[in-house]
Amino acid sequence: MQAGTKLSLTQELGSNLMNAGQPYQSPRQRVWTAIRKHREEFTIKQVAELGQMKYDSTRDFITGLKKAGIIAEVRREKLPNMSKKIELIYFKLVEDYGYNTPSVDRQGNILGKSATVNKAMWNTLRITKQPVNASELAAISSTDEQQVSIETADSYLRFLHHAGYLKIARAAHHAVRKAKYQLLPGMDTGPIPPQIQRAKQVFDPNTNTVMYSERPELEEEIKHGTLLLNDEEINDE
Amino acid sequence: MVMQMNADVNFSNSSIAQIRNISQCYEAVKRTQDRNILLPGISAFYGPSGFGKSTAANFVATKTNAFYVQVKSTYTKKAFLQALLREMSIPYPATLSEMMELATSELAKSGRPLIIDEFDHLVQGNKVEIIRDLYEGSQGTFLIIGEEMLARKLEKWERFHGRILNWVPALPADINDVTLLASIYAPKIEIDEPVLEQLLAQVRGSTRRVSTNLEMLNEKALEAGVRHISKQVFKELLPDGFVTGESPKPRSF
């Protein structure tokens, strides 16, 4: 719950940093960009600072990349005034995956190369642009490898409609037809599907005010990034 | 058993992967991806509007995790490259050549295919060359989609034309497609084959018209409380027949 308190402190800062209309760059993405920039030789500390990611998180990421064969160790260097066991390791980039960071776990398994269920539905809405109801969206977004359930499609359509992405192309009619939704022309915001988050908030009926709202999109930033910390906190890390 | 029942309730059991334009479009891209390195890497998918080209593109985009760009008639070279970089989630640099370099290297390194829909707009505006440059630089897998006349229009661009590995004509819907589409657009009713055949004959291959007619029939049937559509029931429900989208015949007075 420590993250929670930090969250409220950083909420305002977070909204400035993260709502700039540019795609959100996760700490891993920023470190990956730093790695590509210094592909010949880099250290963990160096890319952690450049990518504004916590050192421990960066080390985990680097471990995964190394096990996946995406980066490799180049050399080690003894540090002056330190125990002989401590060495500075230099890495280099071996396999460039392009601008977007490959997703690896600590064991070096490369994950998520195929489109997710949300991405499949978002693709259907923005590529075909046709009005769809929930069962049509489910059918058109399913492939032989990945099925989209009607229930999932239904809730995705409802939430995107609430959020202002879709218009109702044809209203539902009792027992005869389900509502058809269509993506609004200006709301094709980009390739990454909007996410439906489950956030909690604290509401005080006495004062009729929302006292605190979770910001799940900041979770990764708080856990792994240093973007939202001030200098003192960074030195503590 | 429980799993089985859940699957029946939550998933539509038809698979659009079997619709023939979707399967042949996907096969073409797959073939291009697995090609011999010496062969060219562009597939062209063309046909009249309403034949389900964008639905096929959508399937391929999801299945191969491709980048998808739909060209607009107003696109300049710069606007096209910006749209492509946006599709790649890459913030775009200032100059055209920097954009070109970034997009090319992303295509090469990510290994993801690129789908360009409404390609005709690029032919009209003499912008085919930038696609050729993107292709030459990345040696990626490209799928370009356009109207029926795309092949003819591209003949002018000999150097581009030569890089096309597969020409894939969008096929008119067949009876299998109609049956599959019926399970998506008219899921709650059962339609006799002669009715589906009549529909197929009247829409002249357009998947879009097959779908809209099936939807209309589904609604009418449910309103009337019928679940089974024979030829006789069909005549009662839709006395004017299916909507064919033909323009009216000239009148005589």
Side-chain angles (χ1 to χ4, degrees):
Chain A
M1 276 297 91
Q2 187 211 359
T5 43
K6 259 190 189 169
L7 251 176
S8 54
L9 288 172
T10 54
Q11 213 153 37
E12 217 170 300
L13 182 61
S15 58
N16 289 340
L17 277 168
M18 311 201 24
N19 291 341
Q22 283 289 328
Y24 168 58
Q25 302 242 319
S26 67
R28 279 186 170 215
Q29 177 63 46
R30 302 193 299 257
V31 167
W32 175 249
T33 305
I35 290 174
R36 292 185 77 219
K37 210 170 187 173
H38 301 274
R39 58 182 67 217
E40 299 303 332
E41 200 170 270
F42 61 86
T43 65
I44 299 178
K45 188 162 182 284
Q46 180 190 12
V47 291
E49 274 164 18
L50 286 168
Q52 293 182 285
M53 189 180 196
K54 290 182 182 168
Y55 182 84
D56 288 349
S57 304
T58 311
R59 198 187 48 213
D60 287 350
F61 182 41
I62 295 288
T63 307
L65 290 175
K66 193 177 156 217
K67 285 191 177 152
I70 296 170
I71 61 170
E73 197 180 307
V74 187
R75 63 190 172 92
R76 287 175 181 235
E77 205 172 80
K78 293 254 182 306
L79 288 173
N81 312 326
M82 289 280 234
S83 148
K84 276 179 185 155
K85 281 179 192 161
I86 299 174
E87 293 172 315
L88 188 61
I89 310 173
Y90 289 86
F91 298 93
K92 67 169 181 189
L93 182 61
V94 179
E95 197 183 352
D96 189 355
Y97 270 65
Y99 181 86
N100 291 295
T101 174
S103 71
V104 289
D105 61 14
R106 267 169 70 182
Q107 281 70 47
N109 301 311
I110 300 168
L111 320 158
K113 278 207 142 181
S114 54
T116 61
V117 166
N118 273 2
K119 170 82 173 165
M121 292 188 290
W122 182 238
N123 270 350
T124 301
L125 291 168
R126 61 200 290 264
I127 294 176
T128 71
K129 294 189 183 72
Q130 58 188 344
V132 284
N133 63 33
S135 53
E136 289 159 13
L137 180 62
I140 299 172
S141 309
S142 293
T143 64
D144 34 329
E145 290 166 323
Q146 176 178 265
Q147 290 278 306
V148 178
S149 78
I150 296 173
E151 208 182 10
T152 307
D154 190 56
S155 99
Y156 200 60
L157 284 176
R158 278 167 204 265
F159 277 107
L160 289 192
H161 179 243
H162 282 310
Y165 288 91
L166 311 175
K167 65 171 183 203
I168 294 188
R170 255 191 115 188
H173 191 289
H174 175 68
V176 177
R177 60 167 187 253
K178 293 186 200 166
K180 280 208 173 216
Y181 298 88
Q182 191 172 20
L183 188 66
L184 286 163
M187 291 312 286
D188 178 359
T189 50
I192 307 165
Q195 305 164 356
I196 298 163
Q197 300 180 331
R198 285 173 214 295
K200 295 248 163 121
Q201 58 178 29
V202 180
F203 172 69
D204 187 340
N206 303 299
T207 54
N208 195 10
T209 353
V210 174
M211 300 298 288
Y212 166 70
S213 289
E214 251 179 25
R215 292 278 304 273
E217 76 277 18
L218 292 182
E219 226 165 70
E220 199 188 350
E221 200 51 62
I222 285 159
K223 218 165 144 191
H224 301 296
T226 58
L227 205 58
L228 302 176
L229 305 178
N230 56 39
D231 291 342
E232 231 171 274
E233 285 171 315
I234 291 175
N235 292 333
D236 277 356
E237 289 292 341
Chain B
M1 196 56 215
V2 175
M3 280 297 291
Q4 187 60 47
M5 283 187 63
N6 272 342
D8 282 345
V9 175
N10 284 325
F11 296 97
S12 108
N13 28 21
S14 58
S15 169
I16 60 152
Q18 291 155 28
I19 290 178
R20 64 173 177 168
N21 272 336
I22 292 181
S23 66
Q24 67 152 354
C25 186
Y26 174 68
E27 287 306 320
V29 173
K30 197 84 197 91
R31 252 198 330 269
T32 316
Q33 257 185 325
D34 302 340
R35 73 188 182 272
N36 178 319
I37 191 120
L38 299 171
L39 290 172
I42 303 177
S43 296
F45 185 44
Y46 64 97
S49 91
F51 270 41
K53 295 192 300 288
S54 288
T55 312
N58 178 42
F59 182 88
V60 174
T62 296
K63 185 132 167 152
T64 64
N65 206 9
F67 300 113
Y68 172 91
V69 181
Q70 186 180 44
V71 186
K72 301 209 169 75
S73 60
T74 53
Y75 272 8
T76 56
K77 285 181 189 172
K78 188 174 166 193
F80 174 81
L81 286 173
Q82 285 178 338
L84 177 57
L85 287 169
R86 198 173 75 114
E87 224 30 55
M88 295 168 161
S89 307
I90 303 179
Y92 30 82
T95 69
L96 216 56
S97 64
E98 281 173 300
M99 287 188 201
M100 197 66 195
E101 206 171 294
L102 262 180
T104 308
S105 97
E106 184 67 8
L107 284 170
K109 294 193 169 128
S110 71
R112 290 163 65 182
L114 169 63
I115 301 175
I116 307 172
D117 205 348
E118 310 267 359
F119 196 84
D120 301 74
H121 292 313
L122 292 179
V123 185
Q124 259 135 36
N126 293 354
K127 289 178 282 280
V128 173
E129 291 294 318
I130 73 163
I131 308 300
R132 194 180 64 91
D133 290 347
L134 273 177
Y135 171 72
E136 288 298 313
S138 67
Q139 295 293 312
T141 296
F142 286 32
L143 172 68
I144 63 172
I145 301 176
E147 295 284 315
E148 188 64 26
M149 297 302 286
L150 183 66
R152 290 280 292 282
K153 286 185 198 158
L154 277 176
E155 275 171 13
K156 211 169 91 185
W157 306 88
E158 210 180 298
R159 291 199 299 175
F160 188 78
H161 206 273
R163 278 159 182 88
I164 295 179
L165 178 65
N166 302 306
W167 284 99
V168 188
L171 301 170
D174 65 6
I175 192 69
N176 280 333
D177 292 350
V178 177
T179 314
L180 275 167
L181 290 167
S183 67
I184 297 172
Y185 289 96
K188 293 197 174 146
I189 55 174
E190 195 192 320
I191 309 170
D192 281 354
E193 186 142 338
V195 181
L196 293 178
E197 269 162 6
Q198 184 189 337
L199 170 62
L200 182 61
Q202 285 187 358
V203 296
R204 283 171 303 167
S206 159
T207 353
R208 183 186 296 151
R209 290 211 189 99
V210 169
S211 315
T212 48
N213 276 302
L214 285 168
E215 263 190 279
M216 187 174 71
L217 184 59
N218 187 57
E219 248 174 60
K220 292 265 185 215
L222 294 180
E223 268 169 23
V226 249
R227 296 264 160 175
H228 180 187
I229 313 292
S230 61
K231 268 217 137 164
Q232 188 52 40
V233 177
F234 173 71
K235 267 184 207 141
E236 284 158 22
L237 283 177
L238 292 172
D240 299 328
F242 288 114
V243 177
T244 61
E246 269 177 67
S247 42
K249 291 195 179 75
R251 298 170 301 171
S252 56
F253 297 100

